[in-house]
């Protein structure tokens, strides 16, 4: 089947918001609230593919819930998860719906071309305005949230907290092709500025 036509859309092309931040930063809370305010499609990587990933890990003899500490996940499954996330976003964008993508993206933040390449590979409409919403939270707050939620995939992070935070917690985002905005989430996040970007004519776009 041929790829969907990525021809330039009419003015008013719906935007894509990409929420990033380490596990426990409150990124999902910010992403859901942003989607609610914008009446956008909310796309959570774990909801889309988490159960499938656990099933795949079990089939090859790995422990379910294993993530960044499992080479099978990192090398084979994680790229497929993100591909599915971007492809689902493309489906919604072509229907004229704004989207909010919710995923850590930690392994890809240092690659300047990751965002544009992923959008191109999944045929996002040309000219889609993109905003990266970086959720920042103190390491103390993140550690407390991970401990309280008690998910199996967080055990390795908490077991060697200094290594986790050094490797994944403070990574800078080097992506090109998008407008970047920072949201502090130690308290109640202020999303007014992010929502206002839907009316901002200076949003970066893919061309």
């Amino acid at each position: 089947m041929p790829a969907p036509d990525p021809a330039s859309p009419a003015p008013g092309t719906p935007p894509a918001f990409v929420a990033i931040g380490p596990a426990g930063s409150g990124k999902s809370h910010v992403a859901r609230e942003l989607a609610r305010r914008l009446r956008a499609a909310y796309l959570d990587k774990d909801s889309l593919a988490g159960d499938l990933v656990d099933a795949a890990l079990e089939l090859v003899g790995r422990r379910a819930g294993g993530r960044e500490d499992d080479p099978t996940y990192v090398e084979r499954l994680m790229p497929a998860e993100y591909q599915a996330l971007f492809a689902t976003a493309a489906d919604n964008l072509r229907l004229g719906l704004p989207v909010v993508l919710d995923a850590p993206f930690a392994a890809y933040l240092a690659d300047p071309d990751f965002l544009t390449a992923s959008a191109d590979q999944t045929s996002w409409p040309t000219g889609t305005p993109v905003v990266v919403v970086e959720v920042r939270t103190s390491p103390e707050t993140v550690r407390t949230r991970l401990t309280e939620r008690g998910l199996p995939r967080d055990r390795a992070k908490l077991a060697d907290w200094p290594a986790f935070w050094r490797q994944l917690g403070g990574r800078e985002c080097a992506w090109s092709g998008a407008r970047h905005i920072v949201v502090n989430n130690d308290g109640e996040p202020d999303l007014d500025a992010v929502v206002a970007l839907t009316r901002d004519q200076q949003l970066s776009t893919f061309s």
Side-chain angles (χ1 to χ4, degrees), residues 21-27 30 134-143 145 165 169 182-187:
S25 64
K27 164 184 52 59
V30 170
E134 182 179 352
V135 181
R136 291 185 182 174
T137 312
S138 68
E140 295 79 15
T141 300
V142 170
R143 188 173 188 177
R145 289 173 178 169
W165 191 257
V182 173
V183 173
N184 185 290
N185 195 37
D186 272 316

Side-chain angles (χ1 to χ4, degrees), residues 44-59 63-67 73 77 81 151-153:
D44 176 12
K45 178 178 70 67
D46 288 336
S47 296
L48 285 170
D51 288 343
L52 291 173
V53 166
D54 283 344
L57 288 170
E58 289 178 341
L59 284 173
R63 63 179 174 83
R67 289 293 187 272
Y73 170 73
L77 298 174
E81 278 189 297
L151 295 178
R153 65 174 180 265

Side-chain angles (χ1 to χ4, degrees), residues 9 12-15 39 89-99 125:
T13 302
R39 302 188 66 81
D91 288 340
N92 284 275
L93 289 167
R94 287 193 291 268
L95 290 172
L97 300 174
V99 297

